[in-house]
């Protein structure tokens, strides 16, 4: 377990409180990026969690990293996660925040800690969904937020391919599903690019891209990216504030050491003056040698104290220089990160644009299949129905659905397709 080492010079109570406040602010950053969806999400079997635990030790003014407890865990078939020392923790039906509170409380009770450890529980991976029925490739698929029945169907390759009369419709549905997924991805990338451009220009608001002014869900995407931008800005400001506070503490310490050095120097001058008098008395035989030895020891102690003060002052100045360099590096790294993220987003937008064009070409091709397929298509009408099998309170319930129905983690999407002659 790693701890932040304390300073060589003894800390004053006020300084320890400042360090505690800074460390607490930094610890809160671990959970600032969790979305509102993740906070409301209720855990269930096969959800994967990422756990991080740290403890601020007030008495020592240090942070302990509980690396033994931190790690990635999966909610088991029993609905619980198993952590070292803590054993089985019930997770089914709880939010990540509730599980984090339970971990902190249990650790405080188990180890008799004065300060409750701060636990961060992040949803690393949702439990999968399943496609069944008239799907080209039924089976298990990873869940992604905002997944609909149509998008889930596209993951399985669309409707099951049958004779030539059905092929063009299924190809069209699959291409349309891919196109819907790509449009959603493009819209998300457009808003991300606008957010990065606003951060680089140091603007307080994100300008909605012109392509999304009439697009459904554009306002929600903008609100999500705005929340992310403010959270990132808050994190950067907290880090810079922490470094500024540290530099202030170090400057105050240097001032205090300077005053202490002046006092020590005055004491040294007085003792040296007494030493001269003792020397004179010793030369005249008016004092014992032990008195001379004691005054010499006192002079040596004061000189050593002055040396320690000078060393501590030099160390504090070095720490101020390092904190200033950290501020510069933090700002430079932030600018470089924004530039790299913008470059990656532009590249992803180009890739999505190519894929979207291909998907639309496939949709057009599906509508222009062979004359035989078109003839059969004119004589038939595809009847496709959807249903979602969802487990609640230990019971599976089948829910009628359409292409735009939202799919939740753990759902089974059933697709039934039939051709009826007109």
């Amino acid at each position: 377990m790693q701890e932040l080492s304390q300073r060589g010079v003894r800390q004053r109570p006020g300084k320890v409180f400042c360090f505690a406040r800074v460390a607490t602010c930094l610890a809160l950053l671990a959970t600032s990026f969790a979305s509102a969806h993740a906070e409301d999400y209720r855990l269930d079997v096969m959800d994967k969690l990422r756990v991080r635990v740290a403890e601020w030790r007030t008495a020592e003014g240090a942070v302990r990293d509980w690396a033994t407890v931190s790690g990635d865990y999966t909610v088991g078939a029993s609905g619980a996660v198993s952590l070292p020392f803590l054993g089985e923790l019930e997770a089914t039906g709880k939010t990540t925040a509730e599980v984090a509170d339970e971990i902190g409380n249990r650790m405080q009770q188990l180890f008799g800690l004065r300060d409750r450890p701060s636990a961060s529980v992040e949803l690393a991976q949702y439990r999968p969904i399943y496609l069944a029925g008239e799907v080209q490739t039924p089976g298990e698929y990873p869940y992604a937020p905002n997944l609909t029945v149509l998008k889930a169907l596209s993951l399985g390759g669309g409707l099951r391919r049958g004779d030539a009369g059905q092929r063009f419709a299924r190809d069209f549905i699959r291409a349309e599903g891919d196109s819907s997924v790509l449009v959603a991805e493009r819209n998300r990338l457009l808003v991300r690019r606008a957010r990065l451009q606003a951060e680089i220009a140091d603007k307080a608001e994100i300008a909605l891209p012109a392509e999304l002014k009439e697009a459904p869900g554009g306002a929600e995407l903008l609100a999500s990216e705005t929340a992310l931008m403010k959270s990132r800005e808050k994190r950067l400001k907290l880090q810079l504030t922490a470094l500024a506070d540290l530099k202030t503490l170090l400057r105050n310490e240097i001032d205090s050491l300077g005053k202490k050095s002046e006092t020590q120097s005055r004491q040294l001058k007085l003792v040296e003056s007494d030493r001269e008098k003792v020397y004179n008395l010793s030369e005249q035989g008016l004092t014992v040698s032990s008195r001379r030895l004691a005054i010499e020891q006192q002079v040596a102690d004061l000189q050593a104290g002055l040396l320690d003060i000078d060393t501590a002052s030099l160390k504090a100045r070095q720490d101020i220089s390092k904190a200033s360099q950290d501020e510069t590096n933090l700002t430079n790294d932030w600018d470089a990160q924004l530039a790299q993220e913008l470059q990656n987003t532009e590249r992803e937008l180009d890739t999505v644009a190519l894929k979207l064009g291909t998907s639309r070409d496939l949709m057009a091709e599906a509508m222009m299949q062979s004359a035989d397929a078109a003839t059969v298509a004119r004589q038939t009408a595809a009847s496709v129905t959807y249903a979602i099998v969802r487990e609640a309170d230990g019971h599976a319930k089948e829910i009628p659905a359409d292409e735009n129905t939202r799919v939740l983690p753990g759902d089974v999407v059933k697709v039934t397709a039939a051709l009826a002659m007109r």
Side-chain angles (χ1 to χ4, degrees):
M1 301 178 184
Q2 302 174 346
E3 294 186 0
L4 299 176
S5 61
Q6 292 182 322
R7 300 184 47 76
V9 181
R10 180 176 300 174
Q11 303 281 2
R12 295 179 180 269
K15 297 175 184 176
V16 173
F17 172 77
C18 290
F19 281 124
R21 182 180 63 183
V22 172
T24 302
C25 291
L26 294 177
L28 290 176
L29 294 175
T31 56
S32 64
F33 297 100
S35 65
H37 176 75
E39 291 175 354
D40 297 336
Y41 179 72
R42 298 290 171 175
L43 300 174
D44 209 333
V45 177
M46 295 183 69
D47 282 330
K48 295 184 179 180
L49 307 177
R50 181 166 294 117
V51 178
R52 297 291 181 270
V53 183
E55 173 200 355
W56 171 253
R57 307 181 70 181
T58 305
E60 301 177 9
V63 174
R64 169 181 289 178
D65 182 10
W66 287 85
T68 306
V69 180
S70 300
D72 293 344
Y73 302 92
T74 302
V75 180
S78 64
V81 290
S82 180
L83 277 72
F85 302 116
L86 305 183
E88 299 284 331
L89 271 73
E90 183 65 30
T92 300
K94 295 183 178 180
T95 65
T96 53
E98 291 171 346
V99 175
D101 288 340
E102 179 67 16
I103 291 174
N105 291 333
R106 282 208 186 183
M107 289 188 64
Q108 186 177 24
Q109 295 172 5
L110 178 62
F111 296 105
L113 303 175
R114 175 181 177 183
D115 301 299
R116 185 169 75 88
S118 175
S120 170
V121 178
E122 177 183 0
L123 188 61
Q125 182 177 325
Y126 294 94
R127 55 189 181 276
I129 63 167
Y130 304 88
L131 300 181
E134 295 298 321
V135 183
Q136 184 68 24
T137 310
E140 175 185 309
Y141 291 90
Y143 175 80
N146 299 324
L147 191 67
T148 63
V149 169
L150 181 60
K151 293 178 182 179
L153 183 61
S154 70
L155 295 177
L159 293 175
R160 180 173 296 163
R161 186 176 297 278
D163 58 35
Q166 300 176 22
R167 187 176 300 119
F168 92 96
R170 293 175 179 175
D171 287 348
F172 183 85
I173 290 175
R174 181 171 59 185
E176 187 179 34
D178 291 341
S179 178
S180 298
V181 172
L182 290 171
V183 167
E185 177 67 11
R186 182 202 62 184
N187 293 346
R188 186 178 64 83
L189 290 172
L190 286 172
V191 179
R192 183 202 295 177
R193 181 177 66 181
R195 187 254 300 167
L196 291 170
Q197 291 172 341
E199 287 181 320
I200 292 174
D202 198 21
K203 295 182 178 179
E205 301 293 336
I206 302 174
L208 182 66
E211 300 90 334
L212 302 182
K213 289 184 177 179
E214 302 297 332
E220 290 78 4
L221 289 173
L222 182 64
S224 177
E225 289 293 330
T226 300
L228 177 59
M229 181 178 74
K230 292 186 181 301
S231 178
R232 285 157 59 96
E233 181 183 6
K234 180 180 178 182
R235 179 184 65 175
L236 179 63
K237 287 183 177 179
L238 282 174
Q239 291 174 331
L240 291 174
T241 300
L243 290 172
D245 290 344
L246 177 59
K247 291 167 63 175
T248 300
L249 288 173
L250 292 171
R251 291 190 183 99
N252 291 339
E253 182 177 337
I254 291 174
D255 292 341
S256 177
L257 289 172
K259 294 177 181 179
K260 187 175 180 180
S261 177
E262 293 176 0
T263 302
Q264 289 277 86
S265 298
R266 288 195 299 268
Q267 291 179 350
L268 180 60
K269 289 180 180 179
L270 292 175
V271 173
E272 287 177 341
S273 176
D274 289 343
R275 182 178 61 178
E276 292 298 327
K277 296 177 181 179
V278 170
Y279 277 3
N280 293 334
L281 293 175
S282 177
E283 291 295 332
Q284 299 173 13
L286 299 177
T287 185
V288 295
S289 59
S290 59
R291 171 60 177 162
R292 182 173 179 175
L293 181 61
I295 200 72
E296 288 288 353
Q297 182 63 46
Q298 190 174 2
V299 170
D301 290 342
L302 289 172
Q303 290 175 341
L306 282 173
L307 182 60
D308 290 341
I309 292 173
D310 291 341
T311 302
S313 180
L314 178 61
K315 179 63 169 58
R317 288 187 174 88
Q318 291 175 341
D319 289 343
I320 289 177
S321 178
K322 183 179 182 303
S324 299
Q325 185 61 45
D326 288 343
E327 283 181 334
T328 302
N329 292 340
L330 183 60
T331 303
N332 292 340
D333 291 346
W334 176 256
D335 293 340
Q337 178 185 348
L338 289 177
Q340 183 64 49
E341 288 183 8
L342 181 59
Q343 183 180 5
N344 293 340
T345 301
E346 296 283 5
R347 183 172 61 252
E348 291 179 28
L349 273 171
D350 292 340
T351 302
V352 168
L354 291 174
K355 290 182 178 180
L356 187 58
T358 302
S359 179
R360 288 171 175 170
D361 290 342
L362 291 174
M363 291 170 61
E365 182 182 354
M367 296 296 293
M368 299 174 62
Q369 287 189 357
S370 67
D372 291 340
T375 300
V376 175
R378 284 193 297 270
Q379 296 174 350
T380 61
S383 176
V384 182
T385 58
Y386 306 98
I388 292 177
V389 179
R390 182 171 298 161
E391 186 172 342
D393 299 327
H395 300 285
K397 181 181 179 181
E398 185 167 319
I399 306 171
D402 57 32
E403 292 179 347
N404 297 319
T405 301
R406 287 290 181 92
V407 179
L408 300 181
D411 282 353
V412 178
V413 180
K414 291 177 60 178
V415 182
T416 304
L419 286 176
M421 296 300 296
R422 290 182 179 177

